[in-house]
Amino acid sequence: MKKLLILVPFIILVAYFIWPEKTITYPAGITAPEQPVQNNLSITKEWQKDGYTIKALAEYKIKARVLSRNNFSIGRESDLSPLDLALGWGPMSDQSVIDKIKITQSNRWYHWETDSSPIPLNQVSLNSANVHIIPNNEDVENKLENVYKGSLIEMKGYLVSINAKDGWHWQSSLKRDDTGGGSCELFLVDTLENFDEN
């Protein structure tokens, strides 16, 4: 029995690293041409969730390709945001561009590299982002299970800040042209449409 208890986690771990990640591909061409739409809010809108205060900073809508997906189950942030999606729009939603850029995620960061970029390097950063996803309902949670690398999705909701009673704070970027620490979007998602399923 002890051997079985050791063997099962080992098999799961090996399968995780060896089993190929499901990837969705599209024909060459821009599949999400529009920039994300952001409308900053002047009226306070707040929610309470699991001891946290979530404050809406802006209405947000984005249609994009999923460049990478990273799930989380450890750390305080994972209480609210169980996954990050690296998203690309404009030229970064074009399969012929995506295929020539290596996209990775580690911890809560998104990284890219390329030997010969098919677009100007600044356009990679300006047309992609790492987004911390906070599902706001069970429907979004369920739909996220079928979102893979390469998926074409549209999400609507709010960019938010989060505060805890002990002083802990997490806040979304409100710009698309920033990089480095604090440049990720913290996105409370109300609705999600997955175009791979249509």
Side-chain angles (χ1 to χ4, degrees):
M1 185 66 174
K2 286 183 179 178
K3 287 183 179 179
L4 184 61
L5 290 174
I6 294 170
L7 189 59
V8 169
F10 176 75
I11 291 171
I12 293 171
L13 189 64
V14 169
Y16 176 81
F17 285 105
I18 293 178
W19 201 268
E21 177 185 11
K22 182 172 179 177
T23 302
I24 307 295
T25 58
Y26 278 78
I30 292 175
T31 52
E34 303 298 327
Q35 294 286 311
V37 176
Q38 176 179 316
N39 295 308
N40 294 344
L41 297 175
S42 57
I43 300 173
T44 301
K45 190 169 189 176
E46 291 185 349
W47 301 266
Q48 299 295 320
K49 183 176 181 180
D50 301 328
Y52 297 97
T53 299
I54 302 174
K55 180 180 178 181
L57 304 174
E59 293 179 330
Y60 196 62
K61 174 184 172 182
I62 183 170
K63 183 176 182 180
R65 294 287 300 282
V66 176
L67 306 175
S68 181
R69 174 185 174 135
N70 199 6
N71 297 334
F72 297 93
S73 58
I74 298 173
R76 189 168 193 174
E77 293 85 355
S78 68
D79 292 344
L80 296 158
S81 174
L83 76 156
D84 283 1
L85 296 177
L87 299 175
W89 56 89
M92 286 298 291
S93 69
D94 185 338
Q95 192 69 52
S96 65
V97 172
I98 296 170
D99 288 343
K100 294 177 182 174
I101 298 175
K102 182 180 179 183
I103 306 290
T104 58
Q105 288 172 291
S106 60
N107 297 319
R108 290 282 179 171
W109 293 83
Y110 146 60
H111 309 276
W112 60 269
E113 59 182 273
T114 179
D115 293 327
S116 57
S117 178
I119 59 176
L121 293 179
N122 71 325
Q123 291 301 306
V124 177
S125 298
L126 289 173
N127 291 279
S128 64
N130 190 56
V131 183
H132 310 311
I133 302 295
I134 305 172
N136 200 25
N137 53 62
E138 189 174 342
D139 182 60
V140 172
E141 287 180 4
N142 292 337
K143 288 181 177 180
L144 282 167
E145 292 180 6
N146 295 314
V147 170
Y148 304 101
K149 181 177 180 179
S151 288
L152 176 62
I153 61 174
E154 182 174 86
M155 297 182 288
K156 298 177 185 178
Y158 299 92
L159 298 181
V160 300
S161 65
I162 302 173
N163 289 283
K165 291 180 181 178
D166 63 3
W168 180 84
H169 180 71
W170 199 14
Q171 179 157 328
S172 177
S173 167
L174 295 177
K175 300 188 293 182
R176 305 293 85 77
D177 60 353
D178 51 353
T179 58
S183 64
C184 298
E185 282 68 45
L186 183 55
F187 191 12
L188 181 72
V189 179
D190 283 334
T191 64
L192 185 155
E193 182 175 2
N194 187 346
F195 294 92
D196 307 335
E197 298 176 343
N198 294 342

